[in-house]
Structures are given as structure tokens and as C-alpha cells.
Amino acid sequence: MHDAGEDVYSSLHQRFKGDLLRPGDGGFEEARGIWNGMVARTPGLIARCAGVSDAQNAVRAASKIGILTAIRCGGHSLAGFSTCDGGLVIDLSRMREVTVDADARRARFSGGCLLGSVDTATQKAGLVFPSGVVSHTGASGLILGGGTGWLTRRFGLSCDNVEGFSLVTADGSVVRASSKENVDLFWALRGGGGNFGVVTEFEVKLHPLTSVVLAEGLAPEGYIPRLLASWRDFMAEAPLDLKWNIDLRLAPHTNKVPAELRGRPVASSSLVWTGDPDAGWPYLNRALSMCRADSVSSKVVSFLELQTMADTSFPHGRRYYTKSGYFTNLDDGTIDRMAEAAATIPSSETQIELAYLGGAAASVVAGETAFGDRSAPFIMNLLANWSEPSADAANISWIRGLFNKLRPAMKPGVYVNFMSGDEQDRVPEAYRERWERMVAVKSHYDPSNFFRLNQNVPPRK
Ligand SMILES: Cc1cc2nc3c(=O)[nH]c(=O)nc-3n(C[C@H](O)[C@H](O)[C@H](O)COP(=O)(O)OP(=O)(O)OC[C@H]3O[C@@H](n4cnc5c(N)ncnc54)[C@H](O)[C@@H]3O)c2cc1C
């Protein structure tokens, strides 16, 4: 049988500076795995680039041969887009340089960086780039889809803090996009995912911050509806310095959790205050007053501690499935449905994740970037997380069933980075009034849809 991976290998191997891994090669097995254990695929070739010219050569060779190609930064695509069966993976994990200009409060970093690579380098200068909450997530995938995290209300989405992109487009050329160059592409790259090319470098704004106040607490099952209603009302008036996320889940069996709550449904609150701690305590104390007193804790933590504290909760190789949506308002009926669902959670790590955006993310005009929805402040992510293939059906059907129950109250729209691989029909919904412009930019830069392993915006035929 014709082997397109071998063809790309033959075309590349004399000039490629990084690693070319084929099935059977040492390191291939490890390199083929991605974060979501539900997605086990075997590419024909993994091209681990050492730099931009490798990425250009890989794109040119793949596009000439017509092989299905996946782009990988951190490999955390929930949908599993950073791998494929039989095709090529352009793997950027060797490209993790970060350069910080402390005086200008700017950084440049390469397309293979994890969030942790960026945080570690920027914190040396006492600065932060606003990104996500798990440090082993890839920066590229997260930023290109939008990027929400602890600092979103204070400093905006990750993509709002990008001033320039360098990318390798489908014909292998290097193109720059910024507010002055290729402005349509600059618009599309801020929320449009991996549709337009291989981003090899980001130029970003940084902000001064080295520590935050972190407060946590649990509300038992019977208090979930009251807690969610109070969160809804409280966040509408909350200062930008406050981020309050709530997970409905089964309380873990750890010493930190009061014995009677362990294994029981709870609302787990995590609050971050980014301003002067003294100004934050009244807000934090008010928010935590709904939690059980013996479950509450608060402390000042370094930014790096904050950014890594959830790392072990989402390990590589477990099985994950997700569905997500926005709410303009969280009505009492929706709250009751969520609270009822908490009682039927099918596995110990599965959760209903709730975050309130608003703040700096909502102050950017909707049409300024391609990113999903800035107006609906409530973002919900139903995330199933389990280990045994025998539990696939129970977890997936629980997520789908709950999503269908909640769907009528949602605002149409979805954040592309929280979508699964079976939701291609929702991609136009993710961009809504921005769809036609996305299609136009895609048609210009990738008319043959070479970059299609993503929440795909097909070019015009
Ligand atoms: C544990 C975990 C925690 C998360 N936390 C957050 C969070 O706090 N906030 C948030 O907003 N999201 C979060 N997400 C979602 C995350 O933003 C997406 O999963 C994102 O796609 C991950 O990026 P990646 O580079 O690791 O993924 P990959 O799987 O490597 O790539 C994802 C997509 O981006 C494309 N892509 C990757 N690199 C490039 C590049 N250099 N150029 C062009 N296209 C590229 C790929 O082709 C693919 O379509 C989280 C996900 C996980 C698994």
C-alpha cells in the first residue's frame, strides 16, 4: 500500500534539523500520545521541528504530497486534533524559546511553548501573560482559541494580549500578522483556532503581578442552589480583581475535605484576588460565607503556585469528554437542573465547571477579534474525566444528557477550545456573526483547507 508518511519522510530527511519519527522508531510510541487518552491514533510520521525552516519544509512537503496533517503544540486539544491516523504530525515541542523585555513589558515566545514555559520566564521579571489554569497546556492552542484563566477579568483573554503573530501558511511562506500587517489575519488568529497556519511566534503584552490571594471552600449538596444564585448576583457587581470559579463535583477523599463531605456532591469554590489583599478580604469573606466554615482556606500564593496548583488534577492519558456553552443569565431553573445533575455525577473527577467572565474580556468590542462570545458572562464546561474504557458510555452519555437539558437556556455560541471532536456542526455557532469574515480569511490563506484538523472553518469552494 502507498505510504504517504514515507513519501514525506523521503522528501524531508536530508534537510530537516529536528527529529523525524516513524512507527517503530525509538521514541515514536511516546511521541504519538496526546493528553486525551480517548484519542489513540498512529500517525505515519511525526516531524518534531527544531525551528521555523523545519515547519516550512514540513508544510511544503505535506501539502505537495497531500497528506492529512495535524499541528501540535501542547497536545491538549480536548477534541484530539493534534494527531491523526496515517498522516503527518508537525510537532512544535522543541520550539519553546521565550524572550522577555522587562522594560517594555513585552515577550516573544515560540509556537511550541507550554503555559509553564511562558510563566516561568515572565515571572523572572515579575510579569505575567494572562493564560489558562493548567501549566502543561500548550500556549498556541489556548491563545489561538481565545484563552481564559485566572487573570481574564483583570487583563482580558490571552488573545487580547497578543500584538503580533508569525506563522507558516499553507504554501510554506512566513507571514506576520499584527494591527499593522495583514490585519484580517490578525483579527482571525485571535479566536479562530489553528485554521490559518502554523504559528511559530507570538509577541505579547505582559503585566506586573507576582502573587495573588487564593481562597477556597466547599458548599454541601443542599446549599448548591443558594450558592449558585448568590454567585450569579455577586459577580455582576464584583471588582475586576476578583475571579470566582465554581465546580460542581464529588468532594475528593483528602484530609483537606471534612469527612462527611468526602465523596458527596459539593460546590467547590476557588477565588482569586489579584489586587491589594487588604482590599480583597471583604469580598472573599462574603463569597466564602456560603461555604462550610471547616472547608474554607485562604492564603497569599505566588503566581507560579497558582498556575500549577491544578496540574495533577488533569493528568495526561486519562479519558476526557466535554461539552460547553454560555449563559447570559443563570436562571433559577438552570441552577436547579445543575444541582440535580450534581447528584448523578458518574465518576469521581467529572465536573460541571462554571466561570464568570466579564471584566476586561467583556470590554473589548465584539467585532475586534474572532473570539466567540464576550457578552454572555457565564461560561459552563461539562467535563467528564475517568480512567477505564468500560466507563466511556456512562460518562459520555451523562455529559450529553445534561447538555441537552441545559441547552434551551443557553445563549447560542460556544468557546472553540472547550469543544469535543464530534461537534463540527457547532463551529458556525461558535463564530456566528463573525462566520463570513472567518470564511473569507480562511479562503485567502488556506484555500485548499490544508489546516483542517481543528474546529474547522472550510474555505469557499
Ligand atoms: C488540562 C487542560 C486545561 C485547560 N485549561 C484551559 C484554560 O484554563 N483556559 C482555556 O481557555 N482553555 C483551557 N483548556 C483548553 C485549551 O485551551 C485547548 O485544549 C487548547 O487547544 C490546548 O492547546 P494545545 O496547544 O495544548 O493543544 P494542541 O492539541 O497541541 O492543539 C490544539 C489545536 O490548536 C492547533 N495548534 C496547536 N499549535 C498550533 C500552532 N502553533 N499553530 C497553529 N495551530 C496550532 C492544533 O492544530 C489543534 O487544532 C484546557 C485544556 C486542558 C486539556
Side-chain angles (χ1 to χ4, degrees):
M1 204 177 89
H2 184 73
D3 186 336
E6 272 307 312
D7 290 349
V8 180
Y9 177 84
S10 307
S11 150
L12 280 181
H13 79 280
Q14 279 179 336
R15 55 211 157 112
F16 203 78
K17 300 189 191 74
D19 315 305
L20 292 173
L21 301 170
R22 293 173 289 177
D25 287 346
F28 178 86
E29 275 308 301
E30 205 189 323
R32 96 185 159 92
I34 61 166
W35 172 82
N36 190 350
M38 289 280 282
V39 186
R41 295 186 185 134
T42 306
L45 180 68
I46 299 173
R48 197 179 276 150
C49 303
V52 177
S53 64
D54 277 353
Q56 288 182 278
N57 286 329
V59 168
R60 284 194 185 115
S63 117
K64 191 161 166 211
I65 287 157
I67 188 174
L68 181 66
T69 300
I71 313 303
R72 183 184 307 169
C73 171
H76 278 44
S77 155
L78 288 143
F81 286 134
S82 38
T83 187
C84 54
D85 275 327
L88 171 69
V89 172
I90 297 181
D91 176 342
L92 303 174
S93 62
R94 279 182 58 169
M95 296 171 58
R96 292 202 172 144
E97 297 81 0
V98 185
T99 314
V100 177
D101 180 341
D103 294 334
R105 293 188 182 164
R106 297 288 186 277
R108 287 169 180 268
F109 52 84
S110 311
C113 283
L114 304 184
L115 302 187
S117 344
V118 178
D119 291 339
T120 309
T122 54
Q123 275 295 280
K124 287 188 182 139
L127 298 168
V128 290
F129 172 68
S131 66
V133 302
V134 172
S135 78
H136 48 75
T137 312
S140 282
L142 181 131
I143 299 170
L144 291 168
T148 67
W150 292 118
L151 307 182
T152 306
R153 285 173 50 76
R154 172 90 183 265
F155 300 126
L157 299 167
S158 305
C159 70
D160 298 337
N161 287 277
V162 180
E163 295 183 323
F165 300 85
S166 298
L167 68 160
V168 175
T169 51
D171 61 3
S173 21
V174 174
V175 172
R176 207 172 163 279
S178 70
S179 62
K180 298 196 173 59
E181 292 163 89
N182 301 307
V183 288
D184 269 354
L185 183 59
F186 183 54
W187 172 87
L189 286 166
R190 290 173 294 156
N195 271 289
F196 308 99
V198 184
V199 175
T200 53
E201 188 177 77
F202 297 85
E203 297 164 43
V204 303
K205 283 190 283 193
L206 305 175
H207 307 271
L209 187 79
T210 52
S211 64
V212 300
V213 183
L214 170 69
E216 296 173 294
L218 301 174
E221 190 174 2
Y223 285 77
I224 293 176
R226 259 197 284 166
L227 179 97
L228 290 183
S230 118
W231 173 69
R232 167 192 69 197
D233 300 338
F234 183 91
M235 285 311 293
E237 305 294 328
L240 297 192
D241 279 317
L242 185 73
K243 186 84 166 69
W244 178 0
N245 293 351
I246 299 181
D247 296 333
L248 306 185
R249 54 165 302 157
L250 302 177
H253 289 267
T254 62
N255 289 340
K256 266 175 72 180
V257 174
E260 318 84 86
L261 295 187
R262 293 179 198 156
R264 304 291 314 151
V266 290
S268 170
S269 286
S270 302
L271 295 102
V272 166
W273 177 264
T274 57
D276 171 7
D278 287 339
W281 293 120
Y283 294 100
L284 297 170
N285 291 337
R286 223 176 95 204
L288 290 168
S289 64
M290 304 287 291
C291 297
R292 246 181 79 136
D294 57 356
S295 72
V296 167
S297 65
S298 57
K299 59 184 172 176
V300 174
V301 296
S302 71
F303 181 69
L304 288 180
E305 198 179 337
L306 176 77
Q307 288 296 96
T308 49
M309 71 180 185
D311 282 5
T312 53
S313 304
F314 302 97
H316 293 75
R318 280 176 67 86
R319 306 174 82 76
Y320 299 92
Y321 184 76
T322 191
K323 271 193 177 289
S324 177
Y326 300 110
F327 296 90
T328 304
N329 182 29
L330 215 54
D331 61 59
D332 292 343
T334 299
I335 287 179
D336 288 343
R337 279 186 277 284
M338 287 181 181
E340 280 159 23
T344 64
I345 285 178
S347 47
S348 61
E349 304 298 326
T350 289
Q351 45 197 313
I352 302 172
E353 300 179 330
L354 295 166
Y356 190 97
L357 295 178
S363 70
V364 174
V365 177
E368 200 166 310
T369 66
F371 176 76
D373 195 315
R374 294 170 183 274
S375 68
F378 299 95
I379 180 162
M380 177 195 71
N381 190 29
L382 305 176
L383 180 64
N385 169 349
W386 70 102
S387 56
E388 294 303 321
S390 57
D392 287 3
N395 281 279
I396 293 170
S397 69
W398 185 82
I399 296 284
R400 288 182 179 155
L402 178 55
F403 179 80
N404 289 338
K405 270 193 212 151
L406 297 172
R407 175 77 151 158
M410 288 179 200
K411 180 171 186 203
V414 59
Y415 171 33
V416 284
N417 278 351
F418 288 170
M419 289 169 74
S420 281
D422 56 3
E423 297 194 283
Q424 192 63 42
D425 57 329
R426 290 186 79 198
V427 183
E429 180 191 335
Y431 296 106
R432 304 188 70 208
E433 58 278 11
R434 292 171 289 284
W435 178 252
E436 285 306 320
R437 189 169 175 194
M438 286 283 289
V439 172
V441 181
K442 175 76 175 181
S443 307
H444 181 76
Y445 286 97
D446 185 16
S448 65
N449 207 6
F450 175 75
F451 298 105
R452 61 182 177 277
L453 288 174
N454 42 50
Q455 298 299 354
N456 194 236
V457 177
R460 281 193 198 103
K461 297 223 161 61

